[in-house]
Amino acid sequence: MNKSFKGILGGLAAVLFAGTVQAQTTVSIENKEDAPVISKHIYGHFAEHLGRSIYDGLYVGEDSPIPNTNGVRNDLIAALKDLQIPNLRWPGGCFADTYHWKDGIGPKEDRPTIVNAWWGGVTEDNSFGTHDFLNLCEELGAEPYLAANLGSGTVEEFTDWIQYVNHSEGSPMAKLRKENGKEEPWNVKYWGVGNEMWGCGGNMTPEFYANLYRQYATFMTSWENENDLYRIASGANQDDYHWTEVLMRDVPKHLIEGVALHSYSFVEWDEKGSASDFNEEQYFSTMKTALWMQELIDKHTDIMDKYDPEKEIDLIVDEWGGWYEVEEGTNPGFLYQQNTMRDAMIAGTTLNIFNNESERVKMANLAQTVNVLQAVALTEGENMLLTPTYHVMKMYTVHHDAKLLPVDFDSPEYTYNGESLPAVSVSASKKEGNVAISLVNIDSQKENEVEIDLEALDVKNMTATILTSDKLQDHNTFENTEKVTPEEFKDFKLRRGKLQVTLPPFSVVVLESK
């Protein structure tokens, strides 16, 4: 073989080899004094009266053989405590605007039965009501977020609920609460003024809802809002930027503390596909809608900045997560689905977006807590399992109320069928002198190498945890509850202030300084 032919072969081999190796991505981290704090409330949850979310999920009843505290299963209470759940949204969702809170108080045997017309047409006996929910939040150490009925309720009903849970004594509603066994008020701060008013909340125009919101918000509290209620307006569906424009333009700032946004991740809305039996094309499409969250927040924030440059009104993403077809053989109205490594990718990238946008995003609520959509836990009789999403959220607890460390980098691309997405997602924070960095590689085939400059942060030692698996479709089952669980991660080096990390395909890695 002559020399020149050897050279051609060698050059060809180098080109072919180069196609399989990812270039190193350099991430710069800025330690800014004026950076925002990542509110722990970004890591909130959502439990709607939907399918087996409340009944046979959270709540099994006081007489159940399943160990429980006031009817709520103990294993789930323990899991949510370990997750350091900061807030819990209830009772909906669409259900909120058909829920009348007085049906769920008083002796349980006297409570009326209702039909859940939104989700499966099943009847509910109202055995889980205001006391049950708020006492659960106290047990969890979580702030309650009550989504109140504006769509089919009245101002009087709404304000009576506020008096019932917040007024200490002397009022008729405080007296009624005491008669029902709760002497001291719960002092609920967070209130949703209706839900999805553009859809199941009443199919309203934004102009009509803005005026209705003004009416309800006016009667919720005093002139100066001395009781510090946090009023959240029903916000846009995904890219309905006109909705946000109208709310910001037409609602006076002294009547509003937060504007909501809802966005789900899916393959195609009308063809959602299986939660666990999916191909790479479906995975890529799902991640495309998940990463769209960045654009949505950017554009809604731009509108909010126009009317509120001081950033006094917060953006609240109080419904987000993956949405697929229900598991075969289950009630289609119950939205029960499995939870795979794909959902871990949704969780990791979305939470990184929220962290990096924490100047405006102050609360978010994963849909939903148990047995519905992208749940953190699934139950079956006396058995419970924790999902990949649960594990990501627990890994990310290091960011709760930590100061954001802004990051800057150009992500490598995850390419499929001629389209590309950013493969790597990063967020970082610092709390009590400790630095935390969360990284996600959504590429289904390729590892990615990342170098992070930590010299300015004076980091000497780090430990790391990883969540990954053999296949994107891998998930935990009641027969194998530990198939997807976090493990210690060692594929990184910290030398002279430079942190080099090799991220496996579809993985979530969290590093912490010690």
Side-chain angles (χ1 to χ4, degrees):
M1 186 181 291
N2 65 41
K3 223 179 209 183
S4 60
F5 188 57
K6 281 184 181 179
I8 291 171
L9 283 179
L12 179 60
V15 170
L16 291 173
F17 181 70
T20 66
V21 176
Q22 296 296 292
Q24 182 171 273
T25 297
T26 300
V27 178
S28 63
I29 296 182
E30 191 174 359
N31 191 9
K32 290 181 65 176
E33 287 298 320
D34 61 347
V37 169
I38 300 170
S39 172
K40 65 180 179 180
H41 290 293
I42 282 172
Y43 293 82
H45 295 261
F46 171 34
E48 182 172 359
H49 282 249
L50 193 173
R52 294 195 302 114
S53 170
I54 302 298
Y55 301 107
D56 197 35
L58 278 172
Y59 185 77
V60 293
E62 291 87 340
D63 298 329
S64 172
I66 298 172
N68 67 85
T69 300
N70 297 321
V72 179
R73 51 188 306 151
N74 289 341
D75 52 3
L76 190 55
I77 289 175
L80 295 178
K81 282 184 175 180
D82 285 345
L83 204 55
Q84 300 175 37
I85 172 173
N87 67 73
L88 185 59
R89 181 175 181 244
W90 175 87
C94 290
F95 183 83
D97 281 289
T98 57
Y99 182 68
H100 300 281
W101 67 270
K102 289 181 182 177
D103 291 343
I105 61 172
K108 298 199 175 187
E109 63 272 15
D110 295 338
R111 298 180 189 180
T113 296
I114 59 171
V115 177
N116 190 334
W118 292 112
W119 305 116
V122 297
T123 57
E124 300 183 8
D125 64 3
N126 272 306
S127 55
F128 188 88
T130 295
H131 287 250
D132 308 274
F133 172 69
L134 296 179
N135 290 339
L136 169 62
C137 288
E138 283 189 343
E139 177 71 24
L140 294 173
E143 291 272 7
Y145 171 11
L146 290 176
N149 183 347
L150 184 146
S152 68
T154 64
V155 173
E156 181 181 18
E157 180 182 21
F158 195 162
T159 55
D160 277 355
W161 202 10
I162 296 172
Q163 290 291 321
Y164 186 86
V165 302
N166 283 359
H167 202 254
S168 56
E169 58 185 347
S171 67
M173 289 299 106
K175 181 174 181 290
L176 180 59
R177 182 193 68 245
K178 292 171 186 285
E179 290 171 357
N180 287 329
K182 176 65 172 169
E183 187 66 26
E184 297 299 323
W186 290 280
N187 297 317
V188 176
K189 177 177 181 176
Y190 297 100
W191 293 85
V193 187
N195 170 78
E196 295 191 354
M197 308 313 296
W198 40 262
C200 60
N203 285 299
M204 300 176 185
T205 64
E207 291 81 6
F208 181 86
Y209 171 65
N211 279 329
L212 198 58
Y213 174 89
R214 290 164 63 129
Q215 178 188 5
Y216 274 71
T218 297
F219 292 104
M220 288 175 67
T221 184
S222 62
W223 286 105
E224 303 297 331
N225 191 17
E226 287 93 350
N227 48 359
D228 198 30
L229 294 190
Y230 191 101
R231 295 159 293 187
I232 300 170
S234 171
N237 179 30
Q238 295 187 320
D239 58 348
D240 186 350
Y241 302 116
H242 177 64
W243 190 278
T244 300
E245 181 92 31
V246 171
L247 288 182
M248 294 300 298
R249 183 193 69 204
D250 292 357
V251 177
K253 288 172 72 172
H254 71 278
L255 291 177
I256 188 169
E257 284 69 45
V259 173
L261 170 66
H262 290 181
S263 184
Y264 286 93
S265 305
F266 47 84
V267 179
E268 293 181 33
W269 187 251
D270 295 324
E271 294 184 31
K272 297 182 179 70
S274 168
S276 55
D277 184 13
F278 56 89
N279 57 33
E280 184 170 8
E281 181 178 5
Q282 292 170 309
Y283 169 67
F284 188 92
S285 294
T286 307
M287 294 313 301
K288 186 176 181 180
T289 57
L291 292 173
W292 190 33
M293 182 68 78
Q294 182 65 65
E295 179 182 325
L296 294 175
I297 291 176
D298 287 344
K299 291 187 174 180
H300 284 291
T301 294
D302 285 345
I303 295 168
M304 296 177 76
D305 286 348
K306 182 168 67 171
Y307 296 95
D308 175 34
E310 301 82 12
K311 301 186 187 299
E312 295 175 347
I313 301 171
D314 300 330
L315 183 60
I316 311 297
V317 190
D318 56 15
E319 288 189 29
W320 68 272
W323 195 320
Y324 320 111
E325 302 297 342
V326 303
E327 294 303 306
E328 188 174 348
T330 65
N331 186 314
F334 284 5
L335 303 188
Y336 178 80
Q337 62 186 41
Q338 252 300 346
N339 196 287
T340 69
M341 281 300 302
R342 171 171 62 173
D343 298 287
M345 297 297 97
I346 294 172
T349 54
T350 303
L351 292 170
N352 279 344
I353 292 170
F354 292 161
N355 287 348
N356 290 324
E357 297 297 332
S358 54
E359 185 175 36
R360 183 67 86 168
V361 179
K362 298 299 183 183
M363 180 188 285
N365 301 83
L366 175 70
Q368 293 189 10
T369 308
V370 56
N371 290 337
V372 174
L373 298 179
Q374 192 173 338
V376 295
L378 303 176
T379 66
E380 187 177 86
E382 64 181 16
N383 299 313
M384 185 190 75
L385 65 80
L386 303 178
T387 67
T389 298
Y390 177 94
H391 295 307
V392 172
M393 296 198 84
K394 186 171 182 183
M395 291 164 67
Y396 276 48
T397 55
V398 292
H399 293 304
H400 288 200
D401 286 339
K403 189 172 184 178
L404 177 71
L405 296 172
V407 297
D408 184 57
F409 69 104
D410 292 321
S411 172
E413 294 185 339
Y414 165 36
T415 301
Y416 176 80
N417 200 24
E419 284 192 90
S420 294
L421 296 172
V424 173
S425 168
V426 184
S427 67
S429 66
K430 188 175 183 179
K431 181 166 61 175
E432 297 175 356
N434 294 324
V435 172
I437 306 169
S438 49
L439 304 105
V440 183
N441 177 22
I442 68 167
D443 198 307
S444 64
Q445 306 293 331
K446 297 175 182 176
E447 65 182 26
N448 276 291
E449 293 185 358
V450 176
E451 181 181 86
I452 305 173
D453 187 351
L454 296 177
E455 194 167 358
L457 295 169
D458 194 31
V459 173
K460 304 300 183 185
N461 296 291
M462 301 203 84
T463 60
T465 306
I466 186 170
L467 186 74
T468 191
S469 196
D470 295 330
K471 297 188 301 181
L472 270 166
Q473 296 79 6
D474 284 349
H475 57 275
N476 296 328
T477 66
F478 294 105
E479 293 73 35
N480 185 0
T481 60
E482 303 292 319
K483 184 173 182 64
V484 182
T485 53
E487 297 178 348
E488 184 181 5
F489 180 66
K490 295 185 176 181
D491 201 359
F492 69 93
K493 297 176 182 176
L494 179 59
R495 292 178 180 170
R496 298 177 183 175
K498 306 290 185 182
L499 176 66
Q500 293 184 320
V501 186
T502 302
L503 300 171
F506 55 95
S507 63
V508 179
V509 171
V510 174
L511 300 108
E512 301 175 65
S513 68
K514 297 296 182 185

